[in-house]
Amino acid sequence: MKAINFMTIFISTIWLNSCTTLKPVTSIKNDTIKTYKYIYISPTNSLTSSSGATIGGQYYSTSKSVNPNDVITGILLKEGFIKLSELKQELNNETLIVNYGESGRRNTGLGGYTIEVTIQFISAKSQAQICSCTAEGQGETEADDIRKAITRCLTELLPRSN
């Protein structure tokens, strides 16, 4: 009976946390990124997170990891950008520097929370901000939160394909 009560509470908690409304993505667009061909992404560290539960005296867990650089790179490569391993003076006119940072965390009740990220695109030539965005993400683990926030953010900034 205790196991059934625990499972009911556990599933209800997951369900309630998944109903959290994320804040809308915000963006600043000073110029278009369409005229750029290359990207240089500032290095980021990987994050490993896990979640788990005890069911019937047995502990079950899952572990996930994410490197924001890899997620950003994958999305931008799919859009046709070419990633540079280092900045090259001769390509500065066509290169965007991409910066990433975690910019907040918001409690959503019942132990849940969202993670907010900000991504910034800077002209390698002028060092001016071309555009930036901020978005929240929420999933089972912090790795999921970050992956979802990055995806929401970049979806807002990238030109819509027809």
Side-chain angles (χ1 to χ4, degrees):
M1 187 65 170
K2 284 184 181 181
I4 293 173
N5 287 340
F6 175 77
M7 284 301 292
T8 302
I9 292 169
F10 182 72
I11 291 169
S12 296
T13 301
I14 290 173
W15 180 76
L16 286 172
N17 282 337
S18 67
C19 294
T20 299
T21 302
L22 298 174
K23 290 182 182 177
V25 178
T26 58
S27 64
I28 298 169
K29 297 177 183 177
N30 298 323
D31 202 349
T32 181
I33 61 174
K34 289 180 187 179
T35 58
Y36 294 89
K37 183 176 181 179
Y38 303 99
I39 54 170
Y40 171 79
I41 303 176
S42 301
T44 61
N45 294 321
S46 291
L47 167 80
T48 300
S49 57
S50 60
S51 63
T54 302
I55 302 172
Q58 181 74 29
Y59 184 74
Y60 298 92
S61 69
T62 181
S63 181
K64 297 179 182 178
S65 65
V66 66
N67 186 321
N69 188 313
D70 293 342
V71 177
I72 294 167
T73 297
I75 293 169
L76 295 178
L77 291 178
K78 189 175 180 179
E79 291 296 318
F81 288 97
I82 298 167
K83 183 179 178 183
L84 301 175
S85 57
E86 61 185 43
L87 289 170
K88 296 183 180 185
Q89 185 79 27
E90 64 273 14
L91 300 176
N92 276 355
N93 287 343
E94 300 176 275
T95 302
L96 286 168
I97 300 169
V98 183
N99 296 318
Y100 161 88
E102 289 182 32
S103 51
R105 187 180 291 241
R106 181 173 62 94
N107 291 329
T108 59
L110 296 174
Y113 58 87
T114 65
I115 293 179
E116 178 186 85
V117 304
T118 298
I119 300 173
Q120 183 181 62
F121 289 76
I122 307 293
S123 164
K125 179 181 178 185
S126 68
Q127 302 299 304
Q129 179 175 284
I130 303 303
C131 57
S132 69
C133 65
T134 299
E136 289 183 325
Q138 185 177 33
E140 281 183 37
T141 65
E142 286 186 0
D144 294 331
D145 298 351
I146 291 168
R147 187 179 306 278
K148 288 179 181 185
I150 290 170
T151 302
R152 289 182 72 224
C153 208
L154 292 179
T155 299
E156 173 71 21
L157 285 184
L158 294 171
R160 305 289 192 269
S161 300
N162 291 335

